[in-house]
């Protein structure tokens, strides 16, 4: 490794980045730090503010870099921190002779490898490693009166938000009643415009998460066949009514607040003593990346707990602006790892954060889960709906089955031993090869109308279907 | 949900679709739950109940007719080990078209594995994929149910037990081992087939073609299909049977073609005959000459000059007219005898340079050994490495390190990857992909080291097939 602090200073876009990087140089922030034995490459995984770690790679010869974080600063604080550790504590890096696939992908895409080191914003004026390394000055102790004033202000803001959200839900109720009065046939046809209008009002009234959900409603309807849309509209609007009523009954409920207005921060979740924590082996089932109408990209990574006797899932959910471009995820479908996950408080704990990566888990088939899916593939969905009737996407493990086609070449999942004539329509088109494979078990999301396949176990091994 | 509730839900649904209050349509139990002071609230409560009913109480109705496909047949080779699938996917991703992807499958099959069907499947029309994939080609083509057991022999009785791709593979095997039996099958079963099936069957006669096939091929001169008659005529011509096609007119096309060729003499002491194309005077003449080369048989042309096929090839003056050279080589490929094809290929390869590339026109007729000679010649020159990608039907995994180091290829590759010329670099990456197919595992490994040392990024996608090649050898040694 040929790194010195002057180089890092020169690379940094500004002093603030150096300051932020300095805080990330603690070894505990990096569950993985590796360096190639022969090549001038270092890489690592840094626990950032997202639900899963950022992947960071740095070429020590030409100072090329890659980070999966959404920062618009180049290089970001994670790159600077990685290089910083490389310069000051090279022994922190485990020496390996193979680069992981994600590093290979980056190397393969690099525009101009082998060039002399990029003389990045080569000037160090106004930036100083020394200054960034200096411990922050301790904030003056707040006096009791000031603390009380601050808490009062916080309470006032919370109260204002609650009033605004309450008003938002009143408007939403009225809007739903209007849609019923005007007719759902018209609503389905004009859903895009109508939903956009009410979503804008909800944003004004601080019900931002709910606004995002309503903004996405037209896309959910349009994904279905024409004759299915009115039923889907009833389901979606009905769930909104339920969510509104639940929030009014318990406006301080963390889960309901998250679904209506704002979510907790990562630090709040990690600091929450009541948050469910699960340490286990996890498999990445698949990813769902959607660009939303509000300009954000939602990146959902679904995990399966391989150590649980009944199917347990976790959802790592990140958002970043679409303008930041395509962003590679921290995990690839099929990856297995040991980790401690912290779940967001919920009646159905699904959304989670990776609190600690504990190494890789061994490959293999999924365990045989108990849970009644053999007799009723949607049994888990009924339980899910009992607890959280305002939610849609429910992860399931389906028993042995096949994919079959209807007369319009729509794909259906059908149980191999199907005593009840149950078949579930599959979203989108499927790889035709799948029609010839017996699926021993399938992980999928069921939203009441369509099945989104994530992964399967088959006689030909694991199938990535996301 | 009971029937009354279902009927009530249907009424509510209809009411909401058309618009207006629907409270009156609701089932009595729902009305009790939804009773409220204001009508809007009543509707919303009913909506919430209906949403839950639709979600939980009603299950999606399966269509009456769901078509299931038969299981994908198991192939005769084991699946590529899971740990090699990332390398395989990288190689497939880099392969730009279906032909190059098939080449990846061919390399893997040559090392004793088949690909995972979710990674790659042969197309329905694919005749280039390794034979082991025939059951999947038939499955893709819509074959319903398993027909053929792996060990079953193709006979007149078992003919219908084979799907088309599997039958084609079996017939090729038979033509190579028991050509008479295969001919009898084609003769007896082919007559009842339509022309589009009969033509590819007759085309298979090219495998193991011999004089015993002459009577059958002659009998096809009365076939209903013009394409079948033409195919049979070409096969007969390869066996030295004169065809004398008439071109539909009164003139003798062989004489007309011969008029485009000038007989001459060369050498002072030992005079020998030469044949060279005459200079054409107009585009119309050029077009006519091209038509005649394409429609006449080589045997008839050399007979016109009173020469054997090999003598005529030896006397042809290559380099006088590039188009005429190309037409002649194509003519030999289509209707020349095996000896003429071998003679011509040897002559062109020995000539090297641009002439050696004409051998690419003979690919369908060449054996593996001569294809290797051609590839070695191309590598030796390193002038036309792009021609490597056009070598059809080349075998996988035989190119030794010495084949690369003895010529100029390795130094040309090193120079290209270390230089600044992006076009040269991209071309070099394409050649590396081709070499990933041709090379032995040891050669692949060494070549990766060479080009990486020369400046190619170790993770360059163009090294994907070379890496897979090298990894496949390691895996074989683990087995």
């Amino acid at each position: 490794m040929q790194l010195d602090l002057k180089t890092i200073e020169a690379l940094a876009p500004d002093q603030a980045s150096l300051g932020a990087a300095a805080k990330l140089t603690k070894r505990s922030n990096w569950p993985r730090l590796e360096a190639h034995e022969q090549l001038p490459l270092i890489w690592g995984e840094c626990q950032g503010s997202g639900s899963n770690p950022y992947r960071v790679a740095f070429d020590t010869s030409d100072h090329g870099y890659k980070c999966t974080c959404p920062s618009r600063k180049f290089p970001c604080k994670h790159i600077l921190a990685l290089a910083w550790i490389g310069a000051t504590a090279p022994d922190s890096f485990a020496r390996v002779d193979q680069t992981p696939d994600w590093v290979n992908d980056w190397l393969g895409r690099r525009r101009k490898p082998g060039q002399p080191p990029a003389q990045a914003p080569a000037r160090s004026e106004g930036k100083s490693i020394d200054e960034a390394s200096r411990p922050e000055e301790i904030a003056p102790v707040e006096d009791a009166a000031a603390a009380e004033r601050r808490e009062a202000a916080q309470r006032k803001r919370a109260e204002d938000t609650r009033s605004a959200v309450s008003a938002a839900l009143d408007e939403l109720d009225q809007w739903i009643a209007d849609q019923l009065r005007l007719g759902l046939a018209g609503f389905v046809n004009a859903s895009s415009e109508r939903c956009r209008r009410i979503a804008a009002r909800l944003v004004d009234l601080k019900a931002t998460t709910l606004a995002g959900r309503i903004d996405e409603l037209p896309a959910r309807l349009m994904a279905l066949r024409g004759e299915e849309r009115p039923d889907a509209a009833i389901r979606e609007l009905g769930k909104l009514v339920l969510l509104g009523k639940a929030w009014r009954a318990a406006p301080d409920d963390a889960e309901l607040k998250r679904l209506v207005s704002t979510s907790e921060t990562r630090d709040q979740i990690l600091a929450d003593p009541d948050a469910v924590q699960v340490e286990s082996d996890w498999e990445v089932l698949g990813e769902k990346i959607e660009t939303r109408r509000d300009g954000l990209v939602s990146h959902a990574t679904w995990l399966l707990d391989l150590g649980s006797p009944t199917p347990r899932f976790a959802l790592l959910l990140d958002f970043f602006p679409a303008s930041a471009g395509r962003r590679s995820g921290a995990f690839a479908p099929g990856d297995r790892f040991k980790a401690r996950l912290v779940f967001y408080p919920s009646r159905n704990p699904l959304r989670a954060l990776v609190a600690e990566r504990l190494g890789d888990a061994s490959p293999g088939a999924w365990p045989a889960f108990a849970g009644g899916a053999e007799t009723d593939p949607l049994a888990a969905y009924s339980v899910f709906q009992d607890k959280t009737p305002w939610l849609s996407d429910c992860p399931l493990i389906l028993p042995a089955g096949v994919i079959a086609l209807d007369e319009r070449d729509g794909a259906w999942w059908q149980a191999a031993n199907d005593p009840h004539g149950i078949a579930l329509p599959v979203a989108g088109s499927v790889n035709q090869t799948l029609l010839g494979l017996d699926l021993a078990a399938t992980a999928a999301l069921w939203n009441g109308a369509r099945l989104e396949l994530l992964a399967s176990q088959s006689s030909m091994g694991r199938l990535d279907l996301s | 949900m009971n029937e009354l509730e279902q009927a009530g839900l249907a009424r509510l649904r209809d009411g909401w679709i058309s618009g207006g209050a629907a409270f009156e349509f609701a089932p009595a139990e729902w009305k009790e739950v939804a009773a409220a002071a204001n009508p809007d609230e009543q509707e919303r409560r009913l909506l919430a109940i209906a949403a839950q009913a639709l979600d939980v109480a009603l299950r999606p109705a399966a269509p009456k007719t769901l078509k299931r496909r038969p299981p994908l047949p198991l192939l005769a080779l084991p699946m590529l080990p899971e740990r090699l699938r990332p390398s395989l996917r990288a190689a497939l991703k880099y392969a730009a078209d279906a032909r190059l992807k098939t080449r990846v499958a061919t390399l893997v099959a040559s090392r004793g594995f088949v690909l995972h069907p979710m990674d790659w499947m042969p197309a329905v029309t694919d005749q280039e994929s390794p034979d082991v994939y025939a059951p999947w080609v038939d499955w893709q083509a819509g074959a319903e149910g398993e027909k053929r057991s792996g060990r079953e022999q193709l006979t007149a009785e078992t003919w219908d037990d084979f799907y088309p791709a599997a039958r084609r593979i079996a017939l090729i095997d038979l033509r190579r081992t028991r050509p008479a039996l295969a001919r009898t099958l084609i003769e007896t079963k082919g007559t009842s087939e339509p022309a589009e099936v009969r033509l590819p069957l007759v085309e298979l006669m090219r495998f193991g073609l011999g004089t015993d096939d002459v009577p059958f091929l002659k009998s096809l001169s009365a076939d209903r299909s013009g394409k079948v008659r033409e195919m049979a005529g070409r096969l007969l011509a390869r066996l030295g049977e004169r065809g004398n096609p008439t071109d539909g007119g009164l003139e003798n096309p062989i004489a007309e073609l011969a008029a485009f060729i000038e007989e001459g003499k060369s050498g002072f002491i030992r005079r020998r005959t030469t044949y060279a194309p005459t200079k054409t005077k107009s585009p119309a003449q050029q077009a006519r000459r091209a038509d005649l080369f394409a429609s006449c048989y080589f045997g008839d042309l050399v007979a016109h000059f009173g020469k054997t096929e090999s003598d005529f090839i030896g006397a042809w003056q290559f380099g006088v007219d590039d188009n005429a050279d190309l037409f002649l080589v194509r003519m030999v490929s289509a209707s020349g005898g095996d000896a003429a094809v071998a003679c011509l290929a040897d002559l062109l390869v020995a000539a090297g340079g641009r002439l050696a590339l004409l051998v690419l026109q003979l690919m369908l007729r060449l054996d593996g050994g001569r294809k290797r000679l051609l590839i070695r010649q191309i590598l030796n020159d390193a002038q036309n490495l792009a021609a490597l990608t056009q070598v059809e039907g080349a075998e996988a995994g035989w190119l030794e390190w010495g084949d690369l180091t003895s010529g100029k290829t390795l130094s040309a590759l090193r120079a290209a990857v270390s230089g600044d010329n992006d076009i040269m670099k991209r071309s070099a990456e394409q050649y590396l992909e081709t070499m990933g197919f041709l090379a032995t595992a040891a050669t692949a490994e060494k070549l990766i080291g060479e080009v990486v040392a020369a400046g190619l990024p170790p993770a360059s996608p163009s090294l994907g097939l070379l890496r897979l090649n090298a990894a496949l050898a390691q895996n074989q040694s683990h087995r």
Side-chain angles (χ1 to χ4, degrees):
Chain A
M1 258 182 265
Q2 305 151 338
L3 273 173
D4 57 54
L5 293 175
K6 283 263 175 245
T7 308
I8 297 161
E9 205 173 73
L11 278 172
D14 51 37
Q15 181 62 34
S17 297
L18 277 176
K23 290 178 195 156
L24 287 175
T25 51
K26 280 184 213 145
R27 183 66 182 81
S28 58
N29 287 316
W30 296 83
R32 172 177 286 186
L33 278 175
E34 288 174 349
H36 200 282
E37 279 177 348
Q38 277 113 37
L39 302 174
L41 278 175
I42 54 176
W43 61 87
E45 289 177 355
C46 180
Q47 195 57 69
S49 55
S51 63
N52 49 45
Y54 300 129
R55 286 179 160 174
V56 193
F58 188 76
D59 185 329
T60 56
S61 65
D62 63 9
H63 307 155
Y65 51 81
K66 166 76 184 169
C67 179
T68 58
C69 82
S71 169
R72 291 176 184 175
K73 284 189 178 179
F74 302 103
C76 64
K77 59 185 178 182
H78 309 105
I79 299 284
L80 296 172
L82 180 76
W84 197 328
I85 299 171
T88 54
D91 293 343
S92 307
F93 291 81
R95 304 277 154 177
V96 294
D97 60 357
Q98 285 205 321
T99 44
D101 283 347
W102 60 273
V103 176
N104 284 340
D105 281 351
W106 168 62
L107 290 173
R109 283 200 302 269
R110 287 186 68 189
R111 208 168 292 157
K112 187 62 183 158
Q115 274 195 336
Q119 296 304 313
R123 300 180 329 164
S124 306
E125 290 100 32
K127 296 176 283 175
S128 159
I129 286 267
D130 290 342
E131 195 179 313
S133 311
R134 216 170 288 145
E136 282 178 40
E137 285 176 24
I138 299 159
V141 180
E142 202 175 29
D143 64 39
E148 198 176 316
R149 277 199 302 278
R150 186 170 48 79
E151 279 167 21
Q154 268 176 358
R155 277 197 302 275
K156 168 106 177 36
R157 276 200 301 276
E159 192 52 45
D160 289 349
T161 301
R162 188 184 296 183
S163 303
V165 170
S166 180
L169 292 177
D170 287 346
E171 287 210 20
L172 178 65
D173 272 352
Q174 189 55 54
W175 179 80
I176 290 172
D178 290 346
Q179 305 316 309
L180 294 177
R181 196 175 306 114
L182 294 167
L184 293 181
F187 170 72
V188 167
N189 291 333
S191 59
S192 183
E193 191 189 328
R194 292 189 194 176
C195 288
R196 175 51 61 92
R197 274 206 297 269
I198 184 68
R201 278 299 295 151
L202 295 184
V203 169
D204 291 345
L205 293 168
K206 300 186 178 175
T208 44
T209 315
L210 192 56
R213 177 171 172 169
I214 292 173
D215 232 359
E216 295 308 306
L217 198 154
R220 291 172 77 97
L221 295 180
M222 291 307 140
L224 301 172
R225 292 174 179 169
E227 67 269 21
E228 296 172 286
R229 288 174 194 161
D231 280 353
I234 292 172
R235 273 204 308 269
E236 296 286 348
L237 297 179
K239 282 177 186 298
L240 293 177
V241 172
L242 283 166
L243 179 57
K245 289 192 181 307
W247 185 89
R248 284 197 183 92
D252 291 328
D253 181 281
E255 178 181 20
L256 297 169
K257 253 163 84 174
R258 196 182 314 128
L259 291 170
V260 172
S261 51
T262 51
S263 178
E264 305 92 321
T265 63
R266 176 186 169 83
D267 290 341
Q268 283 172 327
I269 295 298
L270 292 176
D272 184 349
D274 298 330
V276 176
Q277 303 202 14
V278 179
E279 187 176 315
S280 189
D281 289 0
W282 302 90
E283 178 178 309
V284 180
L285 289 173
E287 293 179 316
K288 200 173 153 189
I289 301 170
E290 290 173 331
T291 303
R292 307 185 335 162
R293 289 176 80 189
D294 58 9
L296 285 179
V297 174
S298 81
H299 187 152
T301 307
W302 285 95
L303 308 178
L304 175 66
D305 182 354
L306 300 166
S308 169
T310 54
R312 176 166 35 207
F313 302 88
L315 167 66
L316 306 178
L317 189 58
D318 280 315
F319 298 94
F320 56 94
S323 56
R326 188 175 175 278
R327 190 184 146 207
S328 49
F331 302 111
D335 281 357
R336 286 186 169 200
F337 58 92
K338 295 175 187 294
R340 180 169 58 86
L341 263 55
V342 181
F343 286 80
Y344 284 70
S346 170
R347 292 153 184 84
N348 274 316
L350 274 179
R351 189 172 172 192
L353 298 167
V354 178
E356 194 179 3
R357 280 284 293 271
L358 303 162
D360 293 333
S362 52
W366 296 341
F369 292 110
E374 292 293 339
T375 49
D376 179 4
L378 293 182
Y381 184 67
S382 299
V383 175
F384 180 87
Q385 283 297 321
D386 280 350
K387 291 182 185 171
T388 48
W390 43 80
L391 293 181
S392 290
D393 287 355
C394 169
L396 302 168
I397 292 287
L398 299 169
V402 293
I403 302 295
L405 295 180
D406 62 20
E407 285 167 349
R408 290 193 272 186
D409 281 344
W412 293 70
W413 174 89
Q414 192 170 32
N417 306 307
D418 177 25
H420 308 297
I422 292 175
L424 305 176
V426 176
S429 57
V430 296
N431 182 328
Q432 293 296 298
T433 304
L434 207 51
L435 302 175
L437 299 178
D438 286 326
L439 311 176
T442 299
L445 300 176
W446 175 247
N447 64 11
R450 287 290 186 275
L451 201 59
E452 280 195 57
L453 303 177
L454 293 172
S456 272
Q457 293 283 319
S458 77
S459 56
M460 294 195 177
R462 185 188 187 281
L463 307 176
D464 176 21
L465 307 175
S466 68
Chain B
M1 194 160 54
N2 60 40
E3 280 182 20
L4 280 175
E5 284 177 321
Q6 281 195 28
L9 176 59
R11 287 195 302 273
L12 273 176
R13 181 181 174 278
D14 291 345
W16 283 330
I17 287 174
S18 51
F23 187 77
E24 288 311 314
F25 305 137
E29 292 84 355
W30 294 18
K31 278 184 185 168
E32 276 179 34
V33 177
N38 80 63
D40 280 354
E41 180 59 16
Q42 286 178 347
E43 297 292 322
R44 280 194 296 270
R45 288 181 182 183
L46 280 178
L47 185 71
I49 298 170
Q52 272 301 86
L54 284 169
D55 243 354
V56 179
L58 288 183
R59 294 294 167 86
K64 283 177 189 158
T65 50
L66 273 181
K67 292 173 284 180
R68 285 191 183 191
R69 290 294 316 274
L72 191 69
L74 284 178
L75 302 184
L77 291 176
M79 198 80 76
L80 187 71
E82 192 64 30
R83 68 176 193 86
L84 293 181
R85 284 179 69 191
S87 310
L88 168 84
R89 290 194 201 109
L92 284 172
K93 196 173 169 188
Y94 188 72
D97 56 34
R99 191 176 69 91
L100 295 178
K101 289 183 199 303
T102 301
R103 212 167 57 171
V104 177
T106 306
L107 172 72
V108 174
S110 75
R111 301 282 164 81
F113 297 105
V114 288
L115 306 191
H116 195 287
M118 296 293 275
D119 292 334
W120 179 82
M121 278 288 273
V124 180
T125 53
D126 195 346
Q127 296 200 343
E128 301 300 318
S129 57
D131 294 352
V132 68
Y133 287 101
W136 284 4
V137 174
D138 284 328
W139 185 87
Q140 289 268 71
E144 296 292 333
E146 200 154 345
K147 276 196 171 186
R148 184 200 171 201
S149 75
R151 291 186 200 128
E152 202 176 336
Q153 183 84 32
L154 180 67
T155 63
E157 289 72 39
T158 61
W159 181 269
D160 292 329
D161 296 341
F162 283 71
Y163 285 119
R167 189 188 295 146
R168 181 177 182 276
I169 302 298
L171 271 174
I172 292 171
D173 283 348
L174 264 189
R175 278 297 292 170
R176 285 177 174 146
T177 53
R178 299 167 69 191
L181 177 58
R183 184 181 63 241
T184 310
L185 282 173
I186 292 171
E187 194 171 357
T188 52
K189 291 293 180 182
T191 45
S192 55
E193 297 285 0
E196 63 268 22
V197 177
R198 215 159 57 246
L199 182 66
L201 284 178
V202 173
E203 197 266 340
L204 295 182
M205 293 292 293
R206 73 184 164 90
F207 296 98
L209 188 67
T211 49
D212 290 349
D213 299 322
V214 170
F216 167 58
L217 291 172
K218 280 188 170 169
S219 73
L220 293 175
S221 62
D223 195 276
R224 312 186 285 285
S225 157
K227 285 185 178 171
V228 172
R229 289 199 299 274
E230 190 184 321
M231 173 65 71
R234 288 190 190 287
L235 292 171
L236 279 169
R238 289 183 194 180
L239 293 168
E241 294 289 324
R242 302 272 298 278
N244 297 321
T246 59
D247 196 32
L250 294 173
E251 300 85 3
N252 179 355
I254 293 295
E256 193 183 351
L257 176 59
F260 283 108
I261 298 167
E262 189 176 35
E263 193 170 326
K265 293 288 179 190
S266 74
F268 289 108
I269 299 165
R270 204 173 147 202
R271 302 285 285 169
R272 64 184 187 90
T273 307
T274 60
Y275 297 101
T278 57
K279 206 168 182 182
T280 50
K281 292 172 185 159
S282 65
Q285 261 196 350
Q286 282 175 18
R288 179 62 184 156
R289 184 181 68 172
D291 286 346
L292 289 167
F293 266 114
S295 60
C296 292
Y297 297 153
F298 186 55
D300 295 334
L301 180 68
V302 299
H304 179 88
F305 287 105
K307 292 283 180 184
T308 65
E309 291 187 346
S310 300
D311 285 347
F312 185 87
I313 289 167
W316 182 262
Q317 299 298 290
F318 284 99
V320 175
D321 179 336
D322 289 349
N323 282 338
D325 292 347
L326 180 65
F327 297 148
L328 179 78
V329 174
R330 283 182 181 163
M331 185 187 212
V332 173
S333 177
S335 60
D338 288 345
V341 171
C343 166
L344 180 57
D346 292 348
L347 187 147
L348 293 171
V349 170
R354 277 190 308 134
L355 281 183
L357 300 185
L358 286 172
V359 183
L360 294 171
Q361 305 295 326
L362 297 172
M363 278 301 136
L364 278 178
R365 303 284 309 274
L366 289 186
D367 56 36
R370 284 200 163 77
K371 284 179 187 170
R372 290 185 186 194
L373 276 179
L374 170 67
I375 290 167
R376 286 196 175 104
Q377 178 63 45
I378 294 171
L379 291 171
N380 210 33
D381 280 356
Q383 293 294 314
N384 296 295
L385 288 174
L388 280 178
T389 59
Q390 295 168 41
V391 180
E392 286 176 40
E395 292 163 15
W398 55 269
L399 193 72
E400 299 289 351
W401 186 240
D403 295 323
L404 288 177
T405 51
S406 61
K408 299 169 190 161
T409 300
L410 201 54
S411 50
L413 283 174
R414 275 201 219 104
V417 298
S418 60
D420 286 334
N421 186 328
D422 282 346
I423 296 171
M424 298 267 285
K425 201 171 272 187
R426 273 200 297 276
S427 301
E429 288 182 336
Q430 281 177 6
Y431 309 150
L432 287 173
E433 188 192 15
T434 303
M435 284 171 210
F437 170 72
L438 297 172
T440 61
T443 308
E445 185 107 48
K446 277 187 176 176
L447 186 54
I448 293 168
E450 281 288 327
V451 290
V452 167
L456 193 69
S460 167
S462 60
L463 294 177
L465 195 52
L466 280 165
R467 288 199 187 284
L468 175 66
N469 187 329
L472 276 165
Q474 288 162 13
N475 203 74
Q476 276 182 325
S477 61
H478 287 168
R479 277 202 301 165

